[in-house]
Amino acid sequence: MTDVLDPAVQPTTTATDETWWRQASVYQIYPRSFADADGDGIGDLRGVTAKVPYLTSLGVEAVWLSPFYPSALADGGYDVDDYRDVDPRLGTLDDFDAMVTALHDTGIRVIVDVVPNHTSDRHEWFREALASPKGSPARDRYVFRDGTGPSGQDAPADWISIFGGPAWTAVGDGQWYLHSFAKEQPDLNWANREVRDDFLTTLRFWSDRGVDGFRIDVAHGLAKDLPAGDLPTWAEVSALPKDGTHPLWDRDEVHEIYAEWRRVFEEYTPARTAVAEAWVPADRRARYASAEGLGQAFNFDLLEADFDAGSFRTIIEFNLGLAEQSGSSTTWVFSNHDVVRHATRYALPPRSGDAEHAPTTEKQGSAWLLAGGSQDDLDRDLGLRRARAATLLELALPGSAYLYQGEELGLHEVGDIPDSDRQDPAYFRNPGVDVGRDGCRVPIPWTREGSSFGFGPDGAHLPQPAWFADSSVEAEDTDPDSTLNLYRAALRLRRTLQSEEHLEWLETGRDDVLAFRRPNGWTSVTVFGDEPYRLPRGELLLASAPVADGVLTGVGTAWLRP
Ligand code: GLC
């Protein structure tokens, strides 16, 4: 291994204040499950501040905080009561300011989540809408419709919400409101000027407090166009093309909203950044990432892919092409708070049957959860070995890498949460079909022992399994081969090695081996299969698996330079 500050490898580009986001490593904090300073079993902002030294030693360039706003937690905080405050269980605005200062002092940028598709049903606007008559300005902020049947007792349409169950809920006076997610998350009407203005106020509110960027939840859902008369059936809606004209998703005019937001971002120096969560066909992603819009969009293609060299290469080439089209940089994600952790997805038994119609690894992960989520069904070591290889590959790619808390510990999904402890609405709204996303939201282990493995002075809001002890920060901190120390080394090296946003593929002589070189010579080689592979000549900088006499011993990634 090498001295990472050796001047022989000079970065060919240096991120500036304006371009920091283009190739940043961004660490997602799910605040309620990160660190609990006050001992109520729920993580909080003072907990994050206390862990700034940990984040610094990890070497990430930015953190993204999932919602910490006042919320009944009908959807883990994505049901927001007030966009410009902190949930009292998580702290105060002063705590928020102190956290931002502590992060900024060590050079870590801060991204916060904005949830514009829906408020919570406790938001003052929704309360006002319920207290106001049909046709009132208060109702116009949401998507209300008359029910069908003589007294409006039947839903306006048979639409299904994303978490399962009906997407329309009655309010008792013959009217119903639309909720694309849980019934506690009424969809906003973005044709309403007041709604638009209020979000501009929210963007300025957090920007004024020093926030560097925003992650935009369900960015493709805001613009809607429902026909005036009878609504189409769900079967009809679902069959409509997703080409910018769909009544609910990814409508072209959503970008008018983001053009306004861009003007707000540009009021600040450096300009505030944004990344869109937009589940849209890949060829429509570039619109969200445009410089006149949000500037960057998540690319979930690797997250949905098998651990397979051919699939990875196709996805990487395609997304680098998209980034060129939009002028943005691409983003890479393997895990987040919505999916089964990648160490676990890669630990599932091989799928049988027709590859073309087989479920994605992400869907396969959900099926494993539904079947009981037993750790015994997993090849835990293989899953972790693949996950480490995938991460090292990710961190060598051009673009930003979004990492999810706990993946740096190689954490597996907690699959067997008792039903009585579950929190996710996807579980409650979809009985027998979906067990939800709680398994990746279990508070992370800091110590080997203690009532909540060091998460806080008392318990944790979701049960932690005994095997968390060996994956705790304490257990991994001093082990040179731990996943934590692999991430630390990789994130540090990456900052030194970062290069122009290009790569060149190298011939490897094997279908299951991918190798690419960045313009400054930084080379990454990934072996997807079990056979050992002789690495190309060069100086070995880091490897996710043992290298003996220049040979990578099966699944793994190695970084080299000439
Ligand atoms: C996004 C979030 C998810 C949430 C949903 C509704 O997909 O990532 O956690 O449930 O939006 O807000």
Side-chain angles (χ1 to χ4, degrees):
M1 302 284 160
T2 185
D3 170 5
V4 300
L5 297 176
D6 183 336
V9 178
Q10 285 295 337
T12 47
T13 52
T14 318
T16 65
D17 260 7
E18 291 289 343
T19 60
W20 68 268
W21 53 274
R22 293 192 67 95
Q23 302 206 76
S25 52
V26 183
Y27 181 85
Q28 182 190 355
I29 293 180
Y30 192 73
R32 290 177 176 80
S33 301
F34 186 64
D36 175 21
D38 66 8
D40 64 356
I42 299 173
D44 43 41
L45 299 185
R46 284 199 291 121
V48 177
T49 306
K51 297 298 182 191
V52 168
Y54 173 75
L55 297 167
T56 313
S57 91
L58 186 57
V60 291
E61 286 148 282
V63 294
W64 145 35
L65 290 120
S66 280
F68 47 80
Y69 315 111
S71 166
L73 301 185
D75 180 21
Y78 284 89
D79 45 321
V80 179
D81 298 350
D82 179 348
Y83 292 88
R84 302 193 280 271
D85 205 351
V86 173
D87 189 323
R89 286 168 295 185
L90 272 69
T92 61
L93 282 169
D94 284 346
D95 292 335
F96 180 84
D97 293 342
M99 177 193 74
V100 171
T101 303
L103 287 162
H104 280 171
D105 281 351
T106 69
I108 298 177
R109 320 249 178 184
V110 181
I111 295 173
V112 300
D113 225 303
V114 176
V115 189
N117 181 67
H118 41 265
T119 68
S120 84
D121 62 350
R122 309 195 315 173
H123 190 285
E124 62 168 355
W125 279 355
F126 196 68
R127 293 172 196 256
E128 198 189 331
L130 292 186
S132 305
K134 174 180 163 179
S136 58
R139 288 212 175 170
D140 188 58
R141 297 189 191 111
Y142 293 91
V143 185
F144 276 88
R145 271 301 169 107
D146 288 338
T148 53
S151 55
Q153 76 279 16
D154 298 323
D158 64 341
W159 296 2
I160 306 292
S161 85
I162 289 184
F163 294 150
W168 291 94
T169 289
V171 298
D173 60 4
Q175 281 224 301
W176 298 62
Y177 66 90
L178 176 68
H179 49 92
S180 299
F181 295 87
K183 73 172 184 6
E184 295 85 356
Q185 295 167 296
D187 281 28
L188 283 165
N189 170 18
W190 275 85
N192 181 303
R193 188 66 243 175
E194 206 188 340
V195 169
R196 293 195 182 208
D197 287 342
D198 194 71
F199 273 85
L200 301 181
T201 304
T202 294
L203 296 174
R204 290 194 182 98
F205 178 87
W206 294 108
S207 298
D208 288 344
R209 296 194 105 89
V211 153
D212 302 280
F214 300 94
R215 178 261 188 195
I216 314 306
D217 191 63
V218 196
H220 56 309
L222 280 48
K224 296 186 175 73
D225 188 20
L226 272 51
D230 289 346
L231 293 176
T233 65
W234 191 237
E236 286 163 351
V237 173
S238 308
L240 291 170
K242 299 262 179 63
D243 60 358
T245 62
H246 193 277
L248 297 175
W249 301 111
D250 189 28
R251 293 185 62 75
D252 287 338
E253 66 264 25
V254 77
H255 300 291
E256 293 163 16
I257 298 169
Y258 299 134
E260 277 192 353
W261 290 23
R262 171 55 51 189
R263 289 195 281 278
V264 173
F265 301 154
E266 303 287 340
E267 288 168 10
Y268 294 86
T269 310
R272 297 330 191 212
T273 66
V275 56
E277 186 215 24
W279 292 91
V280 297
D283 60 348
R284 294 187 54 86
R285 223 154 36 212
R287 296 161 197 251
Y288 292 84
S290 93
E292 293 76 42
L294 294 176
Q296 202 180 43
F298 281 130
N299 144 30
F300 295 118
D301 296 353
L302 283 182
L303 180 156
E304 293 187 305
D306 284 345
F307 186 72
D308 170 76
S311 315
F312 270 47
R313 179 164 173 162
T314 306
I315 287 169
I316 292 165
E317 280 172 2
F318 177 74
N319 282 287
L320 291 177
L322 282 188
E324 261 177 45
Q325 259 178 46
S326 68
S328 182
S329 60
T330 191
T331 59
W332 308 106
V333 188
F334 282 109
S335 281
N336 64 29
H337 65 297
D338 288 332
V339 296
V340 170
R341 287 184 178 278
H342 66 290
T344 300
R345 297 200 307 269
Y346 293 157
L348 292 166
R351 293 169 309 160
S352 48
D354 168 5
E356 211 171 304
H357 300 103
T360 59
T361 55
E362 189 215 344
K363 297 249 165 24
Q364 204 195 356
S366 307
W368 164 74
L369 285 175
L370 199 60
S374 165
Q375 296 291 312
D376 298 341
D377 299 340
L378 306 176
D379 185 337
R380 285 172 58 99
D381 292 343
L382 177 65
L384 179 56
R385 195 167 161 143
R386 287 173 169 172
R388 288 163 54 108
T391 298
L392 224 53
L393 177 152
E394 170 188 31
L395 292 176
L397 288 172
S400 328
Y402 284 81
L403 311 170
Y404 177 53
Q405 68 179 38
E407 68 167 81
E408 78 279 19
L409 304 172
L411 274 194
H412 274 282
E413 184 86 358
V414 182
D416 49 0
I417 295 176
D419 289 350
S420 54
D421 286 319
R422 291 203 178 275
Q423 301 175 6
D424 188 354
Y427 164 72
F428 296 104
R429 294 182 62 87
N430 238 341
V433 178
D434 194 344
V435 296
R437 302 158 293 177
D438 297 314
C440 61
R441 301 175 178 180
V442 175
I444 61 172
W446 294 91
T447 55
R448 284 178 200 273
E449 288 169 9
S451 60
S452 59
F453 296 103
F455 166 65
D458 211 340
H461 66 96
L462 279 167
Q464 299 160 300
W467 51 262
F468 260 30
D470 291 336
S471 297
S472 62
V473 173
E474 183 187 12
E476 297 200 18
D477 190 38
T478 51
D479 171 3
D481 297 327
S482 70
T483 301
L484 176 57
N485 280 320
L486 179 71
Y487 270 68
R488 283 173 174 159
L491 287 162
R492 239 149 254 283
L493 263 169
R494 172 185 152 93
R495 287 168 96 139
T496 319
L497 296 172
Q498 201 49 280
S499 176
E500 286 161 27
E501 291 169 34
H502 299 291
L503 60 73
E504 177 197 351
W505 294 103
L506 304 177
E507 188 49 59
T508 66
R510 258 173 54 183
D511 286 349
D512 68 331
V513 181
L514 285 187
F516 58 85
R517 185 165 48 213
R518 300 288 298 274
N520 60 356
W522 175 18
T523 299
S524 178
V525 182
T526 301
V527 177
F528 288 77
D530 300 329
E531 294 296 312
Y533 182 75
R534 174 158 298 282
L535 293 169
R537 237 184 264 280
E539 181 188 0
L540 180 64
L541 298 170
L542 187 65
S544 70
V547 175
D549 295 330
V551 173
L552 190 54
T553 55
V555 177
T557 294
W559 288 358
L560 305 108
R561 65 177 169 191

